[in-house]
Amino acid sequence: MDFGVVLQTDPPARDVVAGLRAAEDNGFRYGWTFDSCVLWQEPFVIYSQVLAATKSLVVGPMVTNPSTRDWSVTASLFATLNDMFGNRTVCGIGRGDSARRVIGQKPASLATLGRAMTVIKELAEGREVEHHGTPVRIPWVRDGRLEVWMAAYGPKALRMVGEQADGFILQTADPDIARWTIGSVREAAVAAGRDPSSITMCVAAPAYVGDDLPHQREQLRWFGGMVGNHVADLVARYGDSGAVPAALTDYIKDREGYDYAHHGRAGNRSTDFVPDPIVDRFCLLGPASAHVERLLELKEIGVDNFALYLMHDEKDKTLAAYGEQVIGAV
């Protein structure tokens, strides 16, 4: 299993660079950031500094979307970084949540997302593709490579991952949900004539190493709220039973709204509806041994990559604990 760290691009940018350099020093192979350039600073500017400060770290957004940049711009950003630093980027992408909603726009449709993934990958790897009805190719790309990992929860999105994406991003560490979603992706891949083992399965969730479970839960409760934004869309589309497991939908019944000003931050008052059992299932808490146990369970299910959201008050200690006690054990 590979490991990554997910940070927000809060100023000053040098702290993001230092954090991801420390992640590499602790054995992490991937460095991710949020991509919501109103709430935080523009990540692609910072990626160039991260790549220059690290040796082999692979960087990318968790996740970008098809709508805040033209697809040719997104492709060129990745291609430029890859040309400068040697194919060390990955494109995590979804329909868009905070980046779209804070500017008064809805998430993109799945059809738009699917087309965007094709155009971005083809252009970033130097091939010609039709874009806005025009044949387009980036002529200076040489030996470019860009994997596209798609974030998904619902049945239609999971099917698209299996049919098209290089990787799957599941934003929760709940083993039951991982088992269902990974199984759905694999079934879709087989139906599309693809090798399911070629798709990287990535679980992304907050992790906090320590012994004070009540405090850890309060620090990580924000994550249930963030996931709840996507789950609310699923319930609106599919209802609260049947197509989507109850393990993913039941807890949002008391959700009354969401304030993106506190998105992804400890103490977010919009997440008071998230109960302790959801925090325990969606996140990794407790001593290092508990993290190893959960990660080994996820590995058995088929998870290839764990991306650690590092947004709480003991970031350095958790990062060091993973480097010293968790990564090697898994």
Side-chain angles (χ1 to χ4, degrees):
M1 182 184 285
D2 286 328
F3 286 81
V5 166
V6 189
L7 301 180
Q8 293 167 338
T9 52
D10 287 311
R14 62 178 176 272
D15 288 351
V16 180
V17 176
L20 293 180
R21 185 171 59 237
E24 183 180 58
D25 291 342
N26 278 280
F28 290 83
R29 291 192 58 205
Y30 288 80
W32 304 92
T33 73
F34 281 43
D35 178 17
S36 189
C37 51
V38 171
L39 296 177
W40 300 285
Q41 293 186 330
E42 168 58 49
F44 284 92
V45 177
I46 299 171
Y47 293 155
S48 63
Q49 296 293 312
V50 174
L51 289 165
T54 55
K55 297 177 181 178
S56 59
L57 195 74
V58 177
V59 306
M62 186 166 288
V63 293
T64 192
N65 68 85
S67 305
T68 52
R69 304 177 186 89
D70 187 82
W71 304 341
S72 63
V73 174
T74 302
S76 185
L77 288 166
F78 282 112
T80 300
L81 292 170
N82 283 339
D83 186 66
M84 293 172 67
F85 298 101
N87 290 331
R88 289 170 55 197
T89 68
V90 57
C91 177
I93 192 168
R95 294 173 56 226
D97 180 33
S98 63
R100 294 288 291 161
R101 298 187 201 270
V102 297
I103 59 173
Q105 301 294 312
K106 294 180 179 180
S109 68
L110 280 177
T112 297
L113 174 57
R115 181 62 182 158
M117 290 195 297
T118 296
V119 170
I120 290 167
K121 182 177 179 69
E122 294 296 292
L123 289 177
E125 295 188 343
R127 292 182 291 274
E128 183 178 291
V129 67
E130 185 175 291
H131 184 40
H132 301 308
T134 301
V136 179
R137 183 177 71 86
I138 300 178
W140 46 263
V141 172
R142 297 289 183 272
D143 301 318
R145 185 177 70 253
L146 180 67
E147 290 195 356
V148 178
W149 297 8
M150 178 179 158
Y153 291 106
K156 291 181 180 179
L158 294 169
R159 184 166 63 247
M160 180 175 285
V161 174
E163 294 171 346
Q164 182 174 347
D166 299 305
F168 167 48
I169 297 172
L170 172 64
Q171 292 171 307
T172 172
D174 183 300
D176 291 337
I177 296 171
R179 192 173 290 106
W180 171 69
T181 54
I182 290 174
S184 297
V185 168
R186 286 173 170 164
E187 289 175 7
V190 170
R194 301 181 69 200
D195 179 1
S197 68
S198 68
I199 303 172
T200 299
M201 305 296 179
C202 174
V203 159
Y208 190 141
V209 177
D211 297 315
D212 188 345
L213 286 175
H215 177 71
Q216 291 176 313
R217 290 184 181 115
E218 289 308 311
Q219 286 286 299
L220 301 185
R221 200 173 304 277
W222 62 266
F223 185 67
M226 188 177 84
V227 173
N229 296 329
H230 303 287
V231 175
D233 286 345
L234 290 178
V235 170
R237 179 181 295 269
Y238 297 104
D240 58 3
S241 63
V244 181
L248 189 56
T249 60
D250 279 355
Y251 82 99
I252 69 161
K253 292 178 179 178
D254 294 327
R255 180 179 182 269
E256 296 181 349
Y258 192 82
D259 182 359
Y260 280 91
H262 305 288
H263 187 58
R265 300 184 188 278
N268 185 344
R269 294 179 181 177
S270 300
T271 64
D272 290 346
F273 70 94
V274 180
D276 288 350
I278 287 292
V279 181
D280 292 349
R281 282 168 41 203
F282 283 19
C283 306
L284 278 72
L285 303 88
S289 59
H291 293 242
V292 171
E293 182 179 357
R294 175 74 67 85
L295 289 166
L296 289 174
E297 182 179 6
L298 291 169
K299 184 178 179 180
E300 182 67 23
I301 292 168
V303 175
D304 307 300
N305 192 301
F306 178 66
L308 189 167
Y309 281 101
L310 203 58
M311 292 108 193
H312 53 70
D313 59 1
E314 290 287 3
K315 300 176 184 178
D316 293 342
K317 289 184 179 179
T318 292
L319 194 69
Y322 262 70
E324 296 167 2
Q325 303 175 62
V326 177
I327 291 177
V330 177

